[in-house]
Structure formats: C-alpha cells, structure tokens
Amino acid sequence: MGANRLQEFPTAIGSSGAVSRPEDFGELKTPAGTLAIGSTRTLQLFSGDVARPADNHTVIIEFRVGDVDAEIRRLADVIYDSLVQAPTTMPWGNRSLLFRDPDGNLVNVFTPISAEAIKKPAR
C-alpha cells in the first residue's frame, strides 16, 4: 500500500463499498453505514487538532461476514504482518479474526456461530 494506505485498505481487504476520493478523503460504504477516512488536512477543516493519526487504542472496527475462516484465507497476504488473533471462537458465540489496519486500529472480522449469536440482528 502506498502513501494513501488508509484509503487503499478497504479495497485491499476486498470491500466492494470502498470509494476513493482525492488524497485527503475516502469512504467505506456498507449497508449498515459509512466509515469516513480523512487526512490530517481534512480534519483541520473541522477544528484544528481534533484527531491524531495512529493513536487510537479504544476502538474496534467490526465487519460481520458469512465465513470468517474463508476470510482469513482470502486476506492472509494483506493482513499477515498485522494479525493480532487468528480465527477464534469467542465465549459470546462469534468466531472472530482480529488484525490492525494501516493506522493501527483494531479490525474484527467475525461470524456468529452459536445459536444465541446467530439470533442477534445484524446491525
């Protein structure tokens, strides 16, 4: 990935909702919402120093998928250096793959597998 690594990331992981914009802005559109990715220049338009790149330690970006084990095989080359946790069945019934995006944010790709988790509506 090049200088616009955060804009390129959604496409690299295979999101069909990735929308590239000029170098200062990008969007990842999904049926559930839109994730905006802006440069520090874009953020200054809002109010100066509102965010610092690569400094988030509290947010996990989540994607619900049909088969997390298939996703790890598909994404292996893209996320190899940033893998945090291989697909693991969590106590609440999701099978979860955890890695970091180019800015260090945690990304959780998961599939509900327990009867209780499957009943929860997709958001």
Side-chain angles (χ1 to χ4, degrees):
M1 282 182 246
N4 295 325
R5 67 192 194 289
L6 280 174
Q7 287 182 355
E8 296 168 9
F9 180 71
T11 303
I13 63 170
S15 168
S16 60
V19 176
S20 292
R21 300 271 188 226
E23 68 181 272
D24 290 335
F25 186 75
E27 293 177 331
L28 170 61
K29 292 185 178 192
T30 71
T34 301
L35 174 65
I37 302 168
S39 72
T40 52
R41 289 184 294 234
T42 301
L43 293 173
Q44 289 174 358
L45 297 172
F46 288 102
S47 182
D49 189 21
V50 296
R52 290 182 305 274
D55 196 32
N56 185 346
H57 303 282
T58 59
V59 172
I60 300 176
I61 302 166
E62 295 193 324
F63 296 95
R64 182 176 177 160
V65 298
D67 182 352
V68 74
D69 293 295
E71 291 299 312
I72 184 71
R73 290 188 295 273
R74 187 178 67 79
L75 297 172
D77 291 341
V78 176
I79 66 169
Y80 176 77
D81 291 334
S82 62
L83 184 65
V84 174
Q85 175 182 285
T88 302
T89 301
M90 305 306 286
W92 47 89
N94 289 340
R95 189 145 173 83
S96 177
L97 160 67
L98 197 62
F99 58 93
R100 294 196 181 274
D101 74 8
D103 231 11
N105 301 302
L106 286 170
V107 178
N108 179 29
V109 176
F110 72 96
T111 301
I113 60 169
S114 73
E116 187 175 320
I118 291 169
K119 287 181 190 175
K120 291 181 183 176
R123 292 180 247 168

